[in-house]
């Protein structure tokens, strides 16, 4: 195995040397030099955003043409049939190079929707969409959350009704990341309101250009519009676009959500690395004359210790993968800590900066942090809120009693009337 990994690493390096330049050493930065952006979400014009998405697609195509488009995927759909540890190795080596950020494709589409289609799609759907997605041709979005269903996802109300060999869908989704760039969406619908809420859900793959699908952007306080509301009005979906069984959509959703936690918790570059870089934070304190503040230094130490602990946790998960064991609790803890560490870093810096966090004085490396500060509420929500992650940890890792009040037996129709049954995913 070790020999195989060495050969694979050499192959990755040879590919990257041919197609990309080495990235500057991110740890050895000099205060005041280079780009000081700390943006988590984009705040670009639609034109610039479209260009970036195109660059991401082009780079994904280059990866694919060279055998790195879907490292763990089956060869039949353009994958390499290798292990998650090969995937991690690829990411680690690629991080040393200056390549386009492919997050728009990978976080939701390739990281979550692809594995769900592979597990639950019909053959013709897999043949049609999986190679296209991992080649960078098709982007996918996750049509799960609704105005009245987020943490309590099984309370969703978008309705699908049988119509001959297809289904007619009506409803509304919200917070749909990258829907405005996507060709397909993984959609959860209610098909049996008389069944208990987790049992009357059916999943479909919907082409985003189908008549009746309307995508409206939502503007965030960070300036950009990465999310959307998606309205579905009399949308016709053929039954062969169904994923999993009729009324068996909850199983499909769980496949996606498991991959979501793994994807979110493992993001470790870009603003994340910068926000938790000891060098950068110490340099910021020196530049703002706060280095001698002992209370701030104690908080800095706590923050860095937690960041290191999270790093070790991720390393533990990698070692488990290397040993052929699927990591379990590490993923949920890692997802929880990911949001917490970044939020604490941004709040710490806000205290260091004082008014400079909200008024741009032009000083390098200061006001730029406001971009991350404004993004932090979202980091504690996306991929399952902090409270929901704690509930999962309490029940499944610590073995504490299940949260009371989750009604998994009454028909969904009755829950809606009584308002009962809220309180987190199963
Ligand atoms: C950056 C970002 C990207 C997103 N992208 C997508 C996407 O692409 N597709 C998609 O479908 N959705 C997406 N979402 C939506 C996301 O999944 C939901 O926002 C999330 O699940 C929370 O649901 P909610 O917003 O309805 O909040 P609610 O569920 O209404 O929660 C409100 C508050 O109540 C707390 N709460 C709820 N239930 C419990 C409980 N049982 N115990 C304790 N506290 C509880 C929550 O923690 C939270 O603080 C995205 C969200 C963000 C922020």
């Amino acid at each position: 195995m070790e020999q195989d990994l060495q050969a694979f690493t050499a192959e990755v390096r040879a590919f990257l040397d041919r197609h990309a330049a080495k990235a500057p050493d991110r740890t050895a930065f000099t205060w005041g030099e280079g780009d000081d952006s700390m943006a988590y979400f984009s705040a670009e014009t639609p034109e610039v955003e479209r260009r970036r998405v195109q660059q991401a697609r082009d780079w994904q195509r280059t990866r694919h043409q060279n055998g790195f488009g879907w490292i763990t995927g089956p060869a039949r759909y353009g994958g390499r049939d290798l292990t998650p540890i090969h995937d991690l190795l690829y990411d680690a080596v690629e991080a040393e190079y200056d390549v386009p950020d492919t997050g728009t494709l990978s976080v939701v589409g390739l990281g979550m929707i692809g594995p769900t289609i592979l597990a639950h799609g019909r053959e013709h759907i897999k043949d049609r969409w999986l190679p296209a997605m991992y080649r960078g041709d098709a982007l996918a979005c996750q049509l799960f959350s609704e105005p009245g269903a987020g943490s309590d996802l099984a309370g969703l109300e978008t309705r699908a009704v049988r119509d001959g060999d297809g289904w007619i869908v009506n409803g509304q989704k919200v917070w749909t990341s990258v829907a405005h760039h996507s060709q397909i969406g993984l959609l959860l619908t209610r098909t049996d309101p008389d069944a208990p809420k987790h049992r009357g859900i059916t999943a479909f793959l919907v082409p985003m250009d189908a008549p009746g699908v309307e995508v409206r952007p939502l503007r965030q306080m960070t300036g950009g519009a990465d999310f959307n509301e998606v309205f579905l009005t009399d949308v016709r979906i053929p039954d062969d676009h169904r994923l999993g069984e009729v009324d068996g959509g909850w199983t499909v959703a769980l496949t996606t959500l498991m991959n979501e936690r793994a994807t979110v918790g493992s993001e470790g570059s870009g603003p994340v690395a910068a926000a938790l870089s000891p060098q950068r934070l110490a340099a910021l304190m020196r530049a703002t004359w706060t280095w001698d503040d002992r209370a701030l230094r104690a908080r800095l130490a706590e923050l860095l210790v937690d960041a290191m602990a999270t790093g070790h946790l991720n390393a533990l998960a990698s070692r488990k993968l290397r040993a052929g064991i699927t990591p379990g609790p590490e993923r949920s803890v890692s997802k929880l800590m990911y949001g917490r560490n970044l939020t604490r870093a941004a709040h710490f810096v806000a205290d260091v900066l004082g008014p400079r966090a909200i008024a741009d004085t032009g000083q390098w490396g200061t006001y730029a942090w406001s971009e991350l500060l404004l993004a932090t509420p979202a980091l504690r929500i996306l991929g399952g809120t902090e409270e929901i992650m704690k509930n999962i940890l309490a029940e499944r890792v610590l073995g504490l009693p299940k949260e009371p009040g989750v009604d998994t037996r009454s028909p969904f129709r009755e829950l809606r009337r009584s308002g009962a049954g809220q309180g987190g995913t199963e």
Side-chain angles (χ1 to χ4, degrees), residues 142 144-145 150-151 175 177 227 378 381-382 385 387 391 403 423-424:
Q142 179 195 19
F144 281 19
S145 303
S151 303
W175 307 126
S177 313
F227 315 100
I381 299 171
L382 83 162
T385 68
E387 291 76 17
N391 282 352
E403 198 183 357

Side-chain angles (χ1 to χ4, degrees), residues 40-41 108 141-153 173-178 227 260 377-379 381-388 391 403 422-425:
Y40 187 88
F41 296 116
V108 178
C141 63
Q142 179 195 19
L143 295 160
F144 281 19
S145 303
E146 299 182 1
S151 303
D152 181 32
L153 180 60
K173 298 290 172 177
V174 75
W175 307 126
T176 323
S177 313
V178 300
F227 315 100
E260 176 162 33
L379 303 179
I381 299 171
L382 83 162
T385 68
E386 221 176 90
E387 291 76 17
I388 293 300
N391 282 352
E403 198 183 357
Q422 297 290 313
T425 49

Side-chain angles (χ1 to χ4, degrees), residues 31-287:
W31 181 257
E33 281 182 15
D35 183 7
D36 67 349
S37 169
M38 297 296 292
Y40 187 88
F41 296 116
S42 66
E44 295 151 338
T45 60
E47 212 171 281
V48 175
E49 195 185 314
R50 263 196 300 277
R51 215 176 310 133
R52 275 194 203 278
V53 173
Q54 191 52 50
Q55 283 168 350
R57 297 174 97 135
D58 292 345
W59 178 239
Q60 180 62 26
R61 188 167 305 120
T62 307
R63 281 177 180 152
H64 187 268
Q65 282 163 352
N66 289 273
F68 302 107
W70 192 10
I71 290 167
T72 56
R76 165 164 183 184
Y77 308 113
R80 273 292 284 274
D81 266 328
L82 293 173
T83 68
I85 203 74
H86 289 88
D87 212 15
L88 285 176
L89 261 180
Y90 178 86
D91 286 349
V93 180
E94 197 193 71
E96 295 169 22
Y97 291 78
D98 196 9
V99 298
D101 178 357
T102 49
T104 334
L105 281 82
S106 58
V107 174
V108 178
L110 307 185
M112 292 153 56
I113 312 291
T116 312
I117 296 175
L118 181 64
H120 302 283
R122 313 255 178 111
E123 278 315 316
H124 75 99
I125 291 287
K126 293 195 226 179
D127 287 336
R128 165 73 185 87
W129 291 108
L130 290 176
M133 284 171 72
Y134 289 90
R135 209 170 40 228
D137 290 347
L139 271 75
C141 63
Q142 179 195 19
L143 295 160
F144 281 19
S145 303
E146 299 182 1
S151 303
D152 181 32
L153 180 60
L156 61 92
E157 296 192 43
T158 291
R159 192 80 166 88
V161 177
R162 263 276 190 202
D163 178 52
D165 59 355
W167 299 79
I168 302 290
V169 178
N170 281 285
Q172 187 201 335
K173 298 290 172 177
V174 75
W175 307 126
T176 323
S177 313
V178 300
H180 53 310
H181 296 297
S182 295
Q183 282 66 48
I184 45 171
L186 176 58
L187 171 70
L188 291 185
T189 62
R190 169 97 25 218
T191 35
D192 184 359
D194 294 316
K197 64 177 177 179
H198 294 91
R199 300 213 202 115
I201 294 170
T202 303
F204 297 96
L205 201 67
V206 58
M208 295 300 285
D209 61 358
V213 178
E214 189 196 343
V215 178
R216 291 189 204 160
L218 286 171
R219 193 151 299 281
Q220 303 131 218
M221 63 178 163
T222 43
D226 299 72
F227 315 100
N228 304 273
E229 294 177 295
V230 177
F231 293 86
L232 302 134
T233 312
D234 293 331
V235 179
R236 192 163 202 293
I237 306 178
D239 187 56
D240 65 8
H241 279 51
R242 172 165 48 79
L243 265 64
E245 301 299 318
V246 174
D247 296 334
W250 191 245
T251 311
V252 179
L254 289 181
T255 307
T256 314
L257 296 177
M258 265 173 51
N259 283 289
E260 176 162 33
R261 270 152 215 160
T263 308
V264 172
S266 62
E267 281 180 71
S269 55
V272 183
L276 297 168
S277 146
Q279 291 88 346
R280 185 176 278 254
L281 291 166
L284 177 75
M285 288 179 76
R286 290 208 173 85

